[in-house]
Amino acid sequence: MSGRLRVGVLASGRGSNLQALLDACRQPGFPAEVVVVVSDREAAPALARAAAAGVPAVFLNPKDHADRAGYDAALLGCLAGHGVELTCLAGFMRILGPAFVRALSGRLMNVHPSLLPAFPGLAAQRQALEHGVKVAGATVHFVDEGVDTGPIIAQSGVPVLDGDSEASLAARILVEEHRIYPEAVRLFALGRLRVAGRRVTIDTEGGSP
Ligand code: GAR
């Protein structure tokens, strides 16, 4: 549908955040649409979710490329080929190189299962449990060249309960991921996110995304 922000999603696994974005995009009046889903894993359930939603699902095999720069260039080509205006990482478990990040600067988002800057990188929920924090949560942020270091768009906290396992905490955090990621995309699509250094603020009036 024309006039809606064209979103590309990169996902390596289960794809529940992808599903939250696909579901949001189906709501009447939502100002964005997912136009392509790309995965580095052929068997990723995310690709099946995309196909089920009628969205082009692309497997880009890292083994077909000599190095990360080559793979990243192929990813960029795929996104450009689908006219993607905003790229959302949704459980994409490959590190993206600086050239990729620079090319999409300000147009690349990620969701992470911690209250950043706490617990970046892998197994954030386990890191939170092992550290003994009482509040954990989810973060949506713009991606910069660091690991989970970019300007924070939205966060939501959840309690860590005494009996929590990694799985129970992850499930509680995931509910918040599914809520704040589509909201961040909506605000971006409406041109309401302003970035000044590390700070992202939300305009009450829309601008151009
Ligand atoms: C989500 O919890 C996401 O925050 C996390 O992977 C999971 C993917 O689940 N991402 C990271 O840890 C990135 N550092 P999903 O495939 O069901 O969306």
Side-chain angles (χ1 to χ4, degrees), residues 40-118:
D40 58 333
R41 295 195 191 151
E42 193 166 21
L47 288 177
R49 290 183 191 265
V55 171
V58 178
F59 166 53
L60 268 187
N61 192 346
K63 292 191 182 133
D64 290 343
H65 301 273
D67 54 18
R68 187 162 74 196
Y71 186 79
D72 287 0
L75 262 183
L76 277 178
C78 178
L79 294 167
H82 285 84
V84 166
E85 299 166 293
L86 171 68
T87 300
C88 290
L89 307 182
F92 192 64
M93 300 318 264
R94 278 176 67 85
I95 303 274
L96 295 159
F100 182 93
V101 172
R102 273 197 298 273
L104 298 184
S105 179
R107 297 184 295 125
L108 182 60
M109 283 184 190
N110 182 41
V111 64
H112 183 76
S114 78
L115 293 175
L116 291 171

Side-chain angles (χ1 to χ4, degrees), residues 3-209:
R4 300 166 80 196
L5 184 83
R6 296 176 66 81
V7 175
V9 180
L10 308 188
S12 299
R14 175 180 58 182
S16 72
N17 277 289
L18 164 67
Q19 192 65 56
L21 293 171
L22 289 167
D23 292 348
C25 289
R26 261 204 303 271
Q27 297 305 310
F30 195 82
E33 60 180 328
V34 178
V35 295
V36 66
V37 174
V38 188
S39 183
D40 58 333
R41 295 195 191 151
E42 193 166 21
L47 288 177
R49 290 183 191 265
V55 171
V58 178
F59 166 53
L60 268 187
N61 192 346
K63 292 191 182 133
D64 290 343
H65 301 273
D67 54 18
R68 187 162 74 196
Y71 186 79
D72 287 0
L75 262 183
L76 277 178
C78 178
L79 294 167
H82 285 84
V84 166
E85 299 166 293
L86 171 68
T87 300
C88 290
L89 307 182
F92 192 64
M93 300 318 264
R94 278 176 67 85
I95 303 274
L96 295 159
F100 182 93
V101 172
R102 273 197 298 273
L104 298 184
S105 179
R107 297 184 295 125
L108 182 60
M109 283 184 190
N110 182 41
V111 64
H112 183 76
S114 78
L115 293 175
L116 291 171
F119 314 130
L122 293 175
Q125 304 94 334
R126 189 186 321 151
Q127 293 185 58
L129 279 177
E130 286 174 354
H131 198 88
V133 295
K134 300 299 184 192
V135 178
T139 301
V140 176
H141 62 95
F142 285 114
V143 177
D144 67 8
E145 291 178 35
V147 176
D148 301 324
T149 52
I152 290 168
I153 300 165
Q155 291 188 302
S156 183
V158 301
V160 179
L161 304 179
D162 288 348
D164 265 336
S165 62
E166 201 178 326
S168 64
L169 179 59
R172 195 173 307 120
I173 293 171
L174 203 58
V175 172
E176 299 309 304
E177 296 184 40
H178 296 167
R179 192 174 62 76
I180 66 176
Y181 210 0
E183 177 60 8
V185 169
R186 188 182 76 85
L187 291 169
F188 183 93
L190 293 174
R192 289 180 54 190
L193 298 181
R194 290 282 162 270
V195 186
R198 285 210 49 83
R199 296 198 67 191
V200 180
T201 54
I202 300 170
D203 279 358
T204 45
E205 299 291 320
S208 39

